[in-house]
Amino acid sequence: MKNVDAKKPVFRFAPNPNGPLSFGHARGIVINGTYSKEHEGILILRFDDTDTTVKPPELSAYDLIPEEVEWLLGRPADRIVVASDRIPEYYQHAETMLKEGFGYVCKCSAEVFREYRESKSNCPCRDKSVENNMSDWNKMLDGTYKPGDAVVRVKTDMTLKNPALRDWPALRMQDTETNPHPRPNIGSKYKVWPLLDFQSAVEDHLQGVTHIIRGKDLMDSTRKQTLLYEHFGWTYPETIYWGRVKVHEWGGFSTSKMRASIENGEYSGWDDPRLPTIQGLKARGIQPEALRNFWIELGVTQKDISVPLATLFSHNTKMIDDEAPRLSFVRNPTEVLLQGQTPEFVGIPIHPNHPKKGLRNISLNPPTIFIESEDANGLYRLKEFADIGEHGNIESIDRSDKRPIIHWMSLTNSVEAVLIIPDQEEIKIVNGRAESNDYEIGTIVQLERIGYAIITEDGYLLMHE
RNA sequence: GCUCGUAUAGUGUAGUGGCCCAUCAUAAAGGACUCUCAUUCCUUUGACCCGGGUUCAAAUCCCGGUACGAGCACCA
């Protein structure tokens, strides 16, 4: 990374607060957050909430997102900036632009302007006088013009090789009567709103942002903004890009798609463990540190990549195994009545690597136990207890041969329970007997021979193996 | 179509001209430990997109091709 030593670097993460954060947003938070921490800089969380029509913000996100950022990083963002609070600043810069002559009010429709863009020719509005532009600007502000009638454009050069850069739009009008901004103190206050490229560029400068790390889909944004910075005489921040990330098991994910699926009842909410949202991952027992390690390991390359969920899970396993108490969960249980001498109790370690954590004392009075139906064929050894022969006959307390070791649970120490398995699109429910315990909801346990699970109100939610 | 970008083992990643018959992680296979198909540890398999060029020397620089991706919105 360049220029990090020169001064205190300033990074920013700038989502649209139009819903909860997704797995993909986590990358922006983790990468920017980690760099800012490593270089003793600061992290700005900025809400780019300047669209009230196409991707309208959601009020709850303003509180939720800072919490999610804090959960993920283990510390809050150093500064929070809300674009909709900063409209006067943007207006001021727009006016500077018009007065200095590097911006103009364009009254062409989007379609008409596309013609000019494609044919590399100047739009007639481009040559208007400053007075004319200011008068049109005021007509935008006071609502004489309506959405679609006029936009403010940045003068670049209509013959630029890259069509995306040709006199790009900086501010436009929105019907905030029909579509008011959800923040009550903003509401229908403004009719003219900056577009991302303008708002973000101006705000980055005002906040002293030194490094921008973002998706490569915004590469042309950088170029547009650089042209604006040249007009203003500012220096553009150092910029680094990352490519697209797909997770094998999830495919593409978009906020709007998820919203629709939640509304029609396919998912229980944004925190449904099947969803690639931060809340969903949290509900699924993914640790913030695992998520951080995952994104840091992927690094910041411009390649488009596709990763299996197993990579994230392996990071998570490293975080949780040491702490996860062991429990038995017997799927599709078969009852077995033990024959022969049985002790009153059998002690099984809570965690095999930490004997100090103690034992789970399993009562064998009555000597009725459950084992998984799949394990009920032939000889087996009950883990930490005894070799069992035909008809539940106890053959030996010591291990006498290589018969498979299986997990089990006594009638006394188990209760009916369900194992919830989020599997791609669907959720599988497996009935069984869970070892009795008094761990709190939210505790991460390891179900022996099955995998890690988190205790929920409804049952044991299987996280991963 | 135009513009921009990327191309290293199955999946990710390191590597900015010689320390590279290429790093690490993960996955897979085998083994040790373990009364879990967990954890930990060891071993093995496995890659520089293709073709030219520059150079004593190229994964690394240049050109062409191919593949993939992004932008060309009065969305972010």
Side-chain angles (χ1 to χ4, degrees):
Chain A
M1 165 154 315
K2 290 180 192 166
N3 300 336
V4 279
D5 303 322
K7 54 190 167 186
K8 191 167 189 171
V10 179
F11 299 84
R12 45 65 152 195
F13 169 66
N16 178 354
N18 65 340
L21 298 180
S22 71
F23 178 69
H25 288 113
R27 185 180 205 179
I29 299 167
V30 168
I31 298 297
N32 281 291
T34 303
Y35 272 123
S36 71
K37 189 174 185 184
E38 271 181 12
H39 297 100
E40 295 174 337
I42 71 166
L43 175 68
I44 295 172
L45 169 60
R46 188 179 75 209
F47 294 109
D48 282 348
D49 56 345
T50 56
D51 178 81
T52 64
T53 317
V54 184
K55 292 179 179 171
E58 202 169 271
L59 201 50
S60 59
Y62 291 86
D63 292 326
L64 192 61
I65 290 176
E67 286 169 17
E68 293 180 324
V69 169
E70 184 166 357
W71 176 78
L72 194 50
L73 293 180
R75 64 190 162 91
D78 298 297
R79 192 189 301 163
I80 293 181
V81 176
V82 182
S84 54
D85 279 337
R86 311 271 296 158
I87 302 299
E89 289 283 353
Y90 308 140
Y91 282 178
Q92 204 183 324
H93 284 85
E95 282 171 24
T96 302
M97 208 160 71
L98 295 173
K99 285 177 181 158
E100 303 275 325
F102 56 86
Y104 61 97
V105 176
C106 172
K107 290 186 277 184
C108 304
S109 69
E111 298 74 47
V112 169
F113 191 82
R114 186 177 309 139
E115 304 278 321
Y116 292 119
R117 180 169 51 232
E118 282 167 8
S119 62
K120 298 187 181 180
S121 50
N122 286 355
C123 137
C125 314
R126 201 177 205 270
D127 301 322
K128 280 189 308 189
S129 66
V130 171
E131 292 68 33
N132 234 323
N133 274 321
M134 286 310 290
S135 139
D136 278 340
W137 167 245
N138 285 319
K139 285 181 190 166
M140 286 176 75
L141 290 177
D142 68 20
T144 307
Y145 292 141
K146 300 299 174 202
D149 292 347
V151 297
V152 176
R153 291 187 182 282
V154 179
K155 268 189 208 174
T156 59
D157 185 337
M158 292 304 281
T159 61
L160 249 27
K161 271 174 73 181
N162 188 339
L165 312 185
R166 297 172 195 157
D167 283 14
W168 54 272
L171 302 97
R172 84 324 203 163
M173 302 192 64
Q174 297 191 100
D175 181 355
T176 47
E177 295 299 330
T178 312
N179 297 300
H181 194 282
R183 296 177 72 216
N185 54 331
I186 305 296
S188 310
K189 196 167 168 186
Y190 305 108
K191 297 181 172 69
V192 178
W193 285 82
L195 287 150
L196 172 82
D197 289 312
F198 183 75
Q199 177 271 126
S200 173
V202 171
E203 198 59 71
D204 281 337
H205 178 258
L206 295 177
Q207 298 294 335
V209 169
T210 60
H211 294 76
I212 300 173
I213 313 171
R214 60 182 170 193
K216 67 175 183 179
D217 52 314
L218 294 177
M219 260 179 180
D220 284 345
S221 241
T222 301
R223 297 181 184 106
K224 287 185 204 175
Q225 294 174 343
T226 302
L227 295 170
L228 183 70
Y229 270 55
E230 283 168 11
H231 283 312
F232 277 114
W234 302 337
T235 307
Y236 201 76
E238 204 66 46
T239 312
I240 301 171
Y241 306 97
W242 60 63
R244 275 181 72 96
V245 172
K246 262 203 307 202
V247 171
H248 292 168
E249 290 82 351
W250 285 328
F253 39 79
S254 76
T255 303
S256 50
K257 220 181 206 174
M258 284 189 271
R259 186 190 305 280
S261 302
I262 290 168
E263 278 166 7
N264 70 26
E266 281 175 56
Y267 298 101
S268 60
W270 291 106
D271 59 352
D272 189 295
R274 288 164 296 176
L275 287 178
T277 56
I278 302 229
Q279 293 176 55
L281 291 165
K282 188 179 173 185
R284 200 174 180 168
I286 302 298
Q287 303 299 294
E289 195 173 352
L291 222 31
R292 290 204 293 271
N293 292 340
F294 172 84
W295 284 118
I296 290 167
E297 185 177 82
L298 291 194
V300 188
T301 67
Q302 291 189 33
K303 270 192 279 187
D304 299 312
I305 56 179
S306 183
V307 291
L309 220 36
T311 306
L312 176 61
F313 291 160
S314 95
H315 282 292
N316 206 50
T317 298
K318 287 189 177 75
M319 305 312 310
I320 60 178
D321 181 73
D322 222 31
E323 291 300 318
R326 270 47 177 172
L327 285 180
S328 265
F329 186 98
V330 182
R331 297 167 289 195
N332 307 316
T334 294
E335 199 176 298
V336 176
L337 180 60
L338 297 175
Q339 308 289 331
Q341 282 287 327
T342 54
E344 195 75 6
F345 290 100
V346 172
I348 304 179
I350 289 171
H351 195 302
N353 301 348
H354 300 285
K356 282 180 188 161
K357 287 182 192 268
L359 299 174
R360 301 121 77 187
N361 287 311
I362 310 305
S363 165
L364 284 180
N365 181 21
T368 303
I369 63 159
F370 293 99
I371 62 172
E372 300 203 338
S373 303
E374 277 200 18
D375 292 330
N377 312 308
L379 307 177
Y380 48 82
R381 176 174 176 78
L382 299 178
K383 189 170 184 292
E384 307 281 354
F385 176 42
D387 290 353
I388 305 298
E390 301 281 312
H391 311 296
N393 189 36
I394 298 174
E395 294 186 342
S396 163
I397 293 296
D398 292 321
R399 193 164 187 194
S400 61
D401 53 24
K402 295 264 183 184
R403 67 185 71 188
I405 297 165
I406 64 168
H407 67 292
W408 57 282
M409 197 34 59
S410 71
L411 171 66
T412 312
N413 285 83
S414 65
V415 290
E416 280 192 18
V418 292
L419 182 63
I420 304 159
I421 306 172
D423 180 35
Q424 310 255 23
E425 305 283 290
E426 53 182 324
I427 284 200
K428 284 187 197 155
I429 304 287
V430 177
N431 293 302
R433 299 286 299 193
E435 178 177 342
S436 308
N437 65 81
D438 48 16
Y439 296 121
E440 289 173 9
I441 284 173
T443 305
I444 292 171
V445 299
Q446 193 210 58
L447 303 178
E448 291 185 301
R449 294 178 67 223
I450 299 175
Y452 298 94
I454 183 164
I455 301 177
T456 71
E457 284 179 22
D458 305 322
Y460 294 80
L461 174 65
L462 185 67
M463 296 156 54
H464 49 81
E465 290 185 352

